[in-house]
Each structure stands twice: as structure tokens, then as C-alpha cells.
């Protein structure tokens, strides 16, 4: 049975992962579209920057967020003074850190799905009188549904397990930023915390596996609905 603090860590993890997924998906869709459908100078550099969180140590990402969005940094101070938005050491900061780390996974899933869509279908829609926007919305977006579902669930699962960037940027604050991975870390640093750590590890593994199973199920159903299975 979980203790109240462990339930709090579970609630916070689900809250952060869902918010991170919601933050990731629109930007990942726009970025995947840009990288797969548009040719522009510096595209290779943009691709490298998008995928940088996959190869950089998470603590580096957290430190970059710290020096760019901390209350002493120009951008962070501007956000606080104009909008009253403080990201460092807050739940919102934990969401941002998780979203940054999950972003390249969502972009990759959506881009693979987008590249599998036959551009000839859009062209056929346009020859029948549809505008470019109508062709995107009525033809391409429905065919992207499996990739969007996969990208969303990948972002959700990755956000559930995020640790390094979160503890560096948002810290390990009980009830505020202490998600399941941070609660496991705290338990391992506590005398006689082994049982707590094991319970939280089992819970984290169960959530991650459930997210991946749901992702696969939704993707298969979407493909059947589109007649592509």
C-alpha cells in the first residue's frame, strides 16, 4: 500500500506527464512538418538542435534551462515581471524540463508517420479544388493519426521517467516537483528506504509498460480505422 507521500508523487508524475505531452504535441507536429516538407538553409543545424536532448546528458539540458529561464536570467526575469510566471523550482518548471526531454521522441514518431503519407494524395485533393490548408486538414492530418498517437504516448512515457533535467532545473521539492523518479532517488538516500524504492520502481515500470501497451493498441486501431492495417 502506498503512503500519502507516494500517492502525491504518483499524482504529480501523471500531472507533469500529461501537461508535458500536451505541450509537446503541437510543437512536435509543427517541427516534424517543417523538417519533412520544407527545404531551407540551416536545416541540418535545426535537426541537430531538435535531437540534441537525445544525446546530451539530461543534467546539461537542466543547466541550460537554469541559466536561460532562472529568475536572474534575462528571459526568466522578463517572464516573471511581465506574466508573473516563475518556472524554476515549480511544477511548471518540471513540466517544461520533461517536455524538452520528450520533444525529440515525439518529433521522430510524427515525422516517420508524415513521411509515409503519399504526397500524391494531397496533390489529388488540390486538383479537385481543395486549398493547400484544406488538403492538409482533410487528407494529411487524418493519415497522421497513428503517428500523433504514437508520438503523444512516447512523450507521456518519457516524461514519466524524466529525472536529470527535472532535478537540475525544478529541484526535488515534495508536493511540487518530486515526481516518481525523484521520489525513488529520495528513497534510496533514506535509511531503510529500500521497500519504498522497490514499490515506486514497480509502480514506474507498470505505468511505463501500460503507456506503451496503450500506445500500440491505439496505433493499431487508428491504422485499422484508416484501412492501413
Amino acid at each position: 500500500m502506498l503512503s500519502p507521500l507516494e500517492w502525491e508523487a504518483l499524482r504529480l508524475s501523471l500531472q507533469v506527464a500529461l501537461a508535458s505531452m500536451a505541450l509537446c504535441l503541437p510543437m512536435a507536429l509543427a517541427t516534424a512538418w517543417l523538417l519533412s516538407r520544407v527545404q531551407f538553409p540551416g536545416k541540418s543545424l535545426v535537426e541537430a538542435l531538435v535531437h540534441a536532448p537525445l544525446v546530451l546528458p539530461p543534467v546539461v539540458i537542466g543547466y541550460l534551462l537554469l541559466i536561460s529561464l532562472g529568475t536572474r536570467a534575462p528571459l526568466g526575469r522578463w517572464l516573471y515581471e511581465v506574466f508573473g510566471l516563475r518556472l524554476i523550482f515549480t511544477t511548471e518548471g518540471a513540466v517544461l524540463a520533461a517536455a524538452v526531454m520528450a520533444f525529440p521522441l515525439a518529433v521522430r514518431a510524427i515525422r516517420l508517420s508524415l513521411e509515409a503519407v503519399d504526397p500524391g494524395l494531397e496533390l489529388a485533393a488540390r486538383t479537385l479544388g481543395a486549398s493547400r490548408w484544406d488538403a492538409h486538414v482533410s487528407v494529411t492530418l487524418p493519415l497522421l493519426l497513428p503517428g500523433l498517437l504514437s508520438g503523444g504516448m512516447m512523450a507521456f512515457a518519457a516524461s514519466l521517467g524524466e529525472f536529470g533535467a527535472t532535478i537540475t532545473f525544478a529541484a526535488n521539492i515534495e508536493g511540487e516537483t518530486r515526481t516518481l523518479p525523484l521520489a525513488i532517488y529520495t528513497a534510496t538516500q533514506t535509511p531503510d528506504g529500500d521497500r519504498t524504492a522497490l514499490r515506486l520502481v514497480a509502480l514506474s515500470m507498470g505505468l511505463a509498460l501500460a503507456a506503451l501497451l496503450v500506445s500500440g493498441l491505439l496505433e493499431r486501431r487508428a491504422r485499422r480505422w484508416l484501412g492501413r492495417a
Side-chain angles (χ1 to χ4, degrees):
M1 190 66 184
L2 299 179
S3 70
L5 290 180
E6 293 163 1
W7 279 113
E8 180 67 17
L10 172 61
R11 181 197 65 77
L12 192 58
S13 288
L14 294 174
Q15 177 185 341
V16 167
L18 287 171
S20 169
M21 181 179 68
L23 184 62
C24 263
L25 273 185
M27 293 187 294
L29 175 60
T31 304
W33 202 293
L34 179 72
L35 293 177
S36 63
R37 295 295 177 92
V38 181
Q39 296 298 324
F40 57 91
K43 183 176 177 179
S44 297
L45 177 61
V46 173
E47 284 184 298
L49 290 173
V50 166
H51 292 97
L54 291 178
V55 294
L56 286 172
V59 68
V60 172
I61 301 297
Y63 183 71
L64 291 174
L65 291 173
L66 195 63
I67 61 175
S68 57
L69 294 172
T71 50
R72 294 182 181 179
L75 179 57
R77 187 166 58 244
W78 179 76
L79 289 173
Y80 183 69
E81 291 176 352
V82 175
F83 300 104
L85 179 60
R86 185 170 69 88
L87 293 171
I88 187 172
F89 307 146
T90 63
T91 305
E92 290 79 7
V95 170
L96 179 63
V100 170
M101 296 303 297
F103 181 67
L105 295 174
V107 171
R108 188 176 181 83
I110 296 172
R111 186 178 180 182
L112 287 173
S113 184
L114 184 58
E115 289 176 347
V117 175
D118 184 1
L121 296 174
E122 281 187 14
L123 184 61
R126 295 199 63 190
T127 59
L128 294 174
S131 66
R132 182 184 293 273
W133 174 254
D134 287 339
H136 288 330
V137 172
S138 60
V139 176
T140 308
L141 274 181
L143 294 174
L144 267 182
L145 186 58
L148 285 171
L149 291 172
S150 177
M153 293 310 296
M154 288 298 290
F156 178 79
S159 298
L160 276 178
E162 214 304 300
F163 175 81
T166 302
I167 198 170
T168 306
F169 181 58
N172 183 7
I173 304 171
E174 183 182 313
E176 185 77 26
T177 64
R178 184 175 294 171
T179 55
L180 281 173
L182 275 68
I184 293 170
Y185 170 76
T186 303
T188 61
Q189 303 301 305
T190 305
D192 301 324
D194 291 348
R195 289 187 176 180
T196 300
L198 281 173
R199 280 199 302 273
L200 295 176
V201 166
L203 184 59
S204 295
M205 292 177 63
L207 285 173
L209 290 175
L212 293 175
L213 288 173
V214 169
S215 171
L217 178 63
L218 291 176
E219 191 175 346
R220 285 195 296 276
R221 289 199 172 190
R223 288 186 185 282
R224 278 203 294 271
W225 179 64
L226 294 170
R228 297 170 66 182

